[in-house]
Amino acid sequence: MVTSVTSFSRNGVSDWLVQRFSAILLGAYFIGLFGYLVCGAGVDYAAWHALMTSVPMKIINTLVILAIAAHAWVGLWTVTTDYLTRMTFGGAATGVRLAAQALLVLLLAGYVLWGLWMIWGA
Amino acid sequence: MKVSIYRYNPETDREPYMQEYEVDTQGKDLMVLDVLALVKEQDPTLAYRRSCREGVCGSDGMNMNGKNGLACVTALSIVAPGVLEGKKALVIRPLPGLPVIRDLVVDMTMFYNQYEKVQPYLINDTPAPAIERLQSPEEREKLDGLYECILCACCSTSCPSFWWNPEKFLGPAALLQGYRFLADSRDTARDDRLSRLDDPFSLFRCRGIMNCVSVCPKGLNPTRAIGHIRDMLLERAI
Ligand code: SF4
Ligand code: SF4
Ligand code: FES
């Protein structure tokens, strides 16, 4: 049995909402970007650079990175609490699950910081 | 025809095994429960549950050729087409995911514990009227497709989320009954009922795979009921 609830929110409703809203944001972002690349014929480095360094785009990119991290966390937290349990790991389950979750948190936090650094740094 | 049955007697067997039987149905397309009765004539040690033999009591839920159902209302030609012609065997196992007590008899405690958690009874703290608490025909109609559940556990034991977290995810059967009382116009505990369901496990472990819908012998739709509860929870939260 999964006893240690390590979900950040501890609430299924907000997890569910986070997952759906982040999915909508990500879907819209990638469809929009794809549309821009397809329609905006002859996008060159200068145009791309100008787009990505504009302040509105920087804000959107920041939101997208946070959405990816939140979406991934809710999903992976669910996966770990489904499969890394006593059924698969016996008495060691809680330790294995916490270790996996800690690794995931560090990884996601690393990605977020790295992404923010790319967007806002230098 | 060939029948292959899961056997396990914890007092004598180290581990479960499949036992093969040869049964003569005289070409008749029997229900699986009738075939089990024929097997039991050959081998009285076989253990399984049954009572009404007409799909009412819910005691003979089992896994037949990979699909959960009630043995008494499942015809051979439906669950294992070709079995009468000897093209394949009828394969019977206990409901998956619950501890086996013996052969096809499983321990339903986990299932009933989850059922108990949804408080499957009317709660109304207003003074009792002299006559029954009345419902309009429309209000009563909302309970259709909910009250018919016979708690056979076919749905919950076909649900992967219930297999992985049977103590924390309530499972389709309990959630369907939870909604049966949430949808009842005479019940006044709606808010309390919802508060018990908003953690990440009890309801939100449902991933909408709809295994539960595909096996319910009463043709009920737990996934839809779960969706209705989720809507109620979202409405309450926003
Ligand atoms: S919902 Fe259907 S499958 Fe599930 S316990 Fe009730 S009758 Fe059985
Ligand atoms: S729809 Fe939900 S309750 Fe039904 S089998 Fe799938 S995960 Fe389980
Ligand atoms: S024996 Fe009662 S439902 Fe099958």
Side-chain angles (χ1 to χ4, degrees):
Chain A
M1 171 163 151
V2 179
T3 42
S4 45
V5 178
T6 40
S7 152
F8 283 142
S9 66
R10 293 171 178 246
N11 178 299
V13 185
S14 55
D15 279 2
W16 193 87
L17 285 171
V18 163
Q19 211 165 22
R20 308 297 134 156
F21 277 116
S22 57
I24 293 171
L25 180 64
L26 292 175
Y29 179 78
F30 284 111
I31 291 170
L33 213 56
F34 185 74
Y36 170 77
L37 285 176
V38 171
C39 305
V43 180
D44 55 10
Y45 176 77
W48 185 254
H49 185 79
L51 174 72
M52 284 299 162
T53 47
S54 66
V55 172
M57 203 56 196
K58 280 184 165 183
I59 293 173
I60 293 175
N61 280 337
T62 306
L63 291 177
V64 163
I65 285 184
L66 295 177
I68 292 179
H71 193 86
W73 170 250
V74 175
L76 291 169
W77 178 81
T78 306
V79 173
T80 57
T81 48
D82 266 353
Y83 296 111
L84 308 183
T85 64
R86 283 235 303 274
M87 259 179 253
T88 30
F89 289 97
T94 304
V96 171
R97 193 171 58 249
L98 287 180
Q101 288 170 345
L103 194 75
L104 289 170
V105 169
L106 285 178
L107 212 60
L108 289 174
Y111 285 149
V112 169
L113 291 177
W114 186 20
L116 293 180
W117 180 73
M118 280 194 283
I119 297 169
W120 300 99
Chain B
M1 61 175 263
K2 271 197 185 15
V3 188
S4 174
I5 304 181
Y6 176 104
R7 301 298 310 269
Y8 180 57
N9 178 348
E11 281 163 22
T12 53
D13 304 329
R14 283 242 315 282
E15 49 184 49
Y17 59 97
M18 298 301 289
Q19 187 167 351
E20 315 288 327
Y21 296 93
E22 194 56 49
V23 177
D24 181 13
T25 68
Q26 294 163 351
K28 276 189 251 163
D29 185 14
L30 299 177
M31 296 294 171
V32 173
L33 186 65
D34 302 325
V35 175
L36 282 175
L38 293 173
V39 172
K40 201 167 166 84
E41 279 174 17
Q42 294 176 24
D43 179 358
T45 65
L46 175 67
Y48 56 92
R49 288 194 183 107
R50 61 107 184 79
S51 176
C52 70
R53 55 105 189 97
E54 55 187 3
V56 172
C57 70
S59 53
D60 63 343
M62 54 188 74
N63 185 280
M64 298 162 285
N65 289 54
K67 192 169 177 194
N68 290 354
L70 297 173
C72 59
V73 290
T74 305
L76 289 172
S77 58
I78 301 288
V79 74
V83 69
L84 289 170
E85 296 80 37
K87 286 189 199 135
K88 63 162 96 159
L90 173 68
V91 184
I92 306 180
R93 297 170 189 272
L95 289 175
L98 295 177
V100 173
I101 295 174
R102 186 172 158 172
D103 298 342
L104 303 176
V105 178
V106 292
D107 180 354
M108 307 264 283
T109 310
M110 285 199 287
F111 177 78
Y112 293 137
N113 283 348
Q114 299 304 49
Y115 177 53
E116 197 181 350
K117 282 191 204 157
V118 300
Q119 300 180 296
Y121 38 80
L122 205 64
I123 301 174
N124 190 322
D125 47 20
T126 60
I131 53 164
E132 300 90 338
R133 293 185 196 277
L134 298 177
Q135 273 188 315
S136 71
E138 293 75 36
E139 286 167 341
R140 168 60 189 76
E141 220 166 76
K142 292 197 178 136
L143 309 183
D144 287 344
L146 304 172
Y147 77 91
E148 300 93 330
C149 171
I150 55 175
L151 296 175
C152 63
C154 288
C155 55
S156 293
T157 58
S158 70
C159 172
S161 283
F162 188 73
W163 296 340
W164 308 148
N165 285 295
E167 299 99 336
K168 306 198 87 187
F169 173 54
L170 295 179
L175 288 165
L176 184 88
Q177 285 317 293
Y179 183 61
R180 182 246 169 275
F181 289 96
L182 280 165
D184 195 313
S185 60
R186 299 162 298 178
D187 194 276
T188 56
R190 179 184 161 126
D191 211 56
D192 175 54
R193 291 180 187 279
L194 289 176
S195 310
R196 292 161 186 267
L197 296 172
D198 71 357
D199 63 284
F201 281 97
S202 302
L203 175 133
F204 281 96
R205 267 309 144 115
C206 169
R207 313 240 65 92
I209 314 157
M210 295 177 81
N211 279 8
C212 49
V213 181
S214 86
V215 298
C216 177
K218 301 307 245 181
L220 308 179
N221 190 330
T223 311
R224 191 190 305 142
I226 293 168
H228 287 316
I229 305 179
R230 193 166 45 217
D231 290 349
M232 288 177 160
L233 283 166
L234 291 171
E235 215 170 279
R236 199 178 69 130
I238 298 170

